[in-house]
Amino acid sequence: MIETSERLQAQLAFIREIDRVKGVFRQTVLMDRSRKENDAEHSWHIALMAVVLQEYAPQGLDVLRTIRMLLIHDLVEIDCGDTFCYDTAGMVGKHEREAQAADRVFGLLPDDQAAEMKALWLEFEDRQSPESRYANALDRLQPMLHNYVTEGGAWREHGVTADRVLRRNRIIADGAPELWQWARAMIADAVDRGYLEPGPNYGCEMEQG
Amino acid sequence: MIETSERLQAQLAFIREIDRVKGVFRQTVLMDRSRKENDAEHSWHIALMAVVLQEYAPQGLDVLRTIRMLLIHDLVEIDCGDTFCYDTAGMVGKHEREAQAADRVFGLLPDDQAAEMKALWLEFEDRQSPESRYANALDRLQPMLHNYVTEGGAWREHGVTADRVLRRNRIIADGAPELWQWARAMIADAVDRGYLEPGPNYGCEMEQG
């Protein structure tokens, strides 16, 4: 038995629990194509992207708040697993299941920190604050980059078409408009290269900007 | 070809390159003992620990600076690989090799960001600023926790003794004294439980606090 304060014990219980997110695998394939990526790796990557790409975020945004959101945004998947963002059936009831998971996982922390983390997770989900919009933009952008670099990656594996990629990821424009312009060009290039089938509504989705 | 600014191109080249750190494996075993941990997972874990354990850091510390340090501190290992911290032979010339790697990896970024990242990495290595001391404390603490939870983990695999663990990790006290007191209790408990052999200088190292 290690003697310590109840508060530190609760914090350590949380730190131990979240190790499990390293075993939650996503559809995204690593850029060297060796295997799929897990949530811990994904969260690290986008947290660092938040630093490197900060100049494309809304001015005056609190980047620490964005990073804290990104570091915790997938912890609910310890209980719920990862839902592929093009899996419309899997999306049904997702928020409710994840909210329960948030209560359990963040609930391991002392009450003040649990409440703060839960609020931060809800803020991420709500996509209203500038920090949340920027965080969500990065969360969408990173798998797209992986799919492009791996010549289709998860898009190809699941038969996702460019029109759906455009519709699904247009929210990037809310958090980082310049990065959305770049992402659109990447999608067009992926179609040209045959990494991505255009799909029936490609022209119409592209016109929407 | 995707049309974009040279600046964003350089930033994206960096973001692509750092994906490789997900393939740099450490000696640390995941808490479920399924496999060893990689640098991306480790960096994510300690970045989030920096948030959760902030109250044990020196007052007034810039936690964003600490987190930025933690997110990038292991990128040099893309070129150099991970050196087990008890591998004294592997430590020879380590800093010089890693400094070269820092020039190459951070050098992918636009000049201003490259210089800033390199300086941040050097600050982490130097362990002088409060942010760096707190960052280094977490970098040491996390593998210890994994070794404890896995009933010896990398300690046992490499025949590391408790006296060496104490000597090697005492710098935790510089960045987070309360966490060092807890870590000492954890080491003592690991010895009691037989996860860790005491080693010839255990009593003397324990006395040093």
Side-chain angles (χ1 to χ4, degrees):
Chain A
M1 191 56 203
I2 306 169
E3 258 188 62
T4 185
S5 70
E6 254 184 66
R7 184 165 175 89
L8 180 54
Q9 258 174 33
Q11 290 160 331
L12 289 165
F14 174 78
I15 288 165
R16 287 173 66 150
E17 176 67 17
I18 64 175
D19 202 57
R20 294 172 60 194
V21 95
K22 299 170 189 172
V24 178
F25 282 84
R26 304 166 52 80
Q27 291 305 318
T28 309
V29 178
L30 293 191
M31 292 191 189
D32 69 3
R33 307 190 199 189
S34 58
R35 60 170 171 83
K36 293 193 172 170
E37 181 187 51
N38 66 55
D39 276 346
E41 296 167 326
H42 162 71
S43 300
W44 165 78
H45 209 163
I46 55 180
L48 188 40
M49 284 170 66
V51 175
V52 170
L53 301 174
Q54 189 179 348
E55 68 203 67
Y56 308 102
Q59 280 222 325
L61 160 142
D62 177 351
V63 72
L64 175 57
R65 191 168 185 83
T66 295
I67 292 173
R68 288 167 66 222
M69 252 179 235
L70 291 172
L71 291 173
I72 64 150
H73 80 293
D74 272 344
L75 290 180
V76 294
E77 298 189 356
I78 291 173
D79 288 354
C80 301
D82 180 61
T83 307
F84 187 48
C85 71
Y86 300 98
D87 171 9
T88 41
M91 288 291 170
V92 178
K94 179 170 175 274
H95 182 77
E96 290 66 30
R97 289 192 301 277
E98 291 191 344
Q100 276 198 329
D103 286 336
R104 187 191 70 79
V105 176
F106 300 131
L108 294 169
L109 286 165
D111 290 346
D112 58 321
Q113 290 187 309
E116 194 186 14
M117 291 282 190
K118 175 86 188 275
L120 204 58
W121 176 75
L122 285 171
E123 183 180 340
F124 175 83
E125 291 285 298
D126 282 349
R127 299 204 307 258
Q128 295 303 314
S129 69
E131 287 79 10
S132 172
R133 288 178 178 185
Y134 180 49
N136 274 277
L138 299 169
D139 188 39
R140 300 295 175 93
L141 205 60
Q142 186 255 6
M144 289 176 68
L145 182 59
H146 279 71
N147 287 334
Y148 178 81
V149 171
T150 56
E151 302 186 354
W155 290 333
R156 206 188 277 265
E157 186 185 338
H158 295 277
V160 177
T161 47
D163 52 354
R164 293 179 65 199
V165 176
L166 285 163
R167 194 164 56 245
R168 171 81 194 154
N169 294 297
R170 184 163 285 120
I171 61 157
I172 292 173
D174 300 336
E178 278 178 82
L179 297 180
W180 175 240
Q181 288 317 308
W182 166 77
R184 283 180 78 239
M186 180 173 67
I187 295 168
D189 194 56
V191 170
D192 287 347
R193 290 174 186 264
Y195 301 164
L196 195 51
E197 291 296 318
N201 302 311
Y202 180 60
C204 158
E205 290 289 344
M206 260 298 172
E207 266 177 33
Q208 287 182 44
Chain B
M1 191 57 203
I2 307 168
E3 258 186 62
T4 183
S5 70
E6 256 184 65
R7 186 167 172 88
L8 180 54
Q9 258 174 32
Q11 289 160 331
L12 290 165
F14 174 79
I15 288 165
R16 286 173 66 151
E17 176 66 17
I18 64 175
D19 202 57
R20 294 172 60 195
V21 94
K22 298 170 189 171
V24 178
F25 282 84
R26 305 166 50 81
Q27 291 305 318
T28 308
V29 178
L30 294 189
M31 292 191 188
D32 68 3
R33 307 191 199 188
S34 57
R35 60 172 171 83
K36 292 193 173 171
E37 182 187 49
N38 67 55
D39 276 345
E41 296 167 326
H42 162 71
S43 299
W44 164 77
H45 209 163
I46 56 180
L48 188 41
M49 284 168 67
V51 175
V52 171
L53 301 174
Q54 188 178 349
E55 67 203 68
Y56 308 100
Q59 279 222 327
L61 161 143
D62 177 351
V63 73
L64 174 57
R65 190 166 186 84
T66 295
I67 291 173
R68 288 168 66 225
M69 253 179 235
L70 292 172
L71 291 173
I72 64 149
H73 81 293
D74 271 343
L75 290 180
V76 294
E77 299 189 356
I78 291 173
D79 289 353
C80 301
D82 180 61
T83 307
F84 187 47
C85 71
Y86 300 97
D87 171 9
T88 42
M91 287 292 169
V92 177
K94 179 172 175 271
H95 183 76
E96 290 66 29
R97 289 193 301 278
E98 291 190 344
Q100 277 199 327
D103 286 336
R104 187 190 71 76
V105 177
F106 300 132
L108 294 169
L109 286 164
D111 290 346
D112 59 319
Q113 289 187 312
E116 196 186 12
M117 289 281 189
K118 175 85 190 276
L120 203 58
W121 177 74
L122 284 171
E123 183 179 338
F124 176 81
E125 290 285 299
D126 282 349
R127 299 203 307 257
Q128 295 303 314
S129 68
E131 287 79 8
S132 172
R133 289 179 177 184
Y134 180 49
N136 274 278
L138 299 169
D139 188 40
R140 301 294 176 93
L141 205 62
Q142 186 254 7
M144 289 175 67
L145 183 59
H146 278 71
N147 288 332
Y148 178 81
V149 170
T150 56
E151 301 186 356
W155 290 332
R156 206 188 278 264
E157 186 184 337
H158 296 276
V160 176
T161 47
D163 50 356
R164 293 180 64 200
V165 175
L166 286 164
R167 195 163 57 243
R168 172 83 195 152
N169 293 297
R170 184 163 288 121
I171 61 158
I172 293 173
D174 299 337
E178 276 179 83
L179 297 180
W180 175 240
Q181 288 316 310
W182 166 77
R184 284 179 79 238
M186 179 173 66
I187 295 167
D189 194 56
V191 170
D192 287 347
R193 290 172 186 265
Y195 302 164
L196 195 52
E197 291 295 318
N201 302 312
Y202 179 61
C204 159
E205 290 289 346
M206 260 297 171
E207 266 177 31
Q208 286 182 43

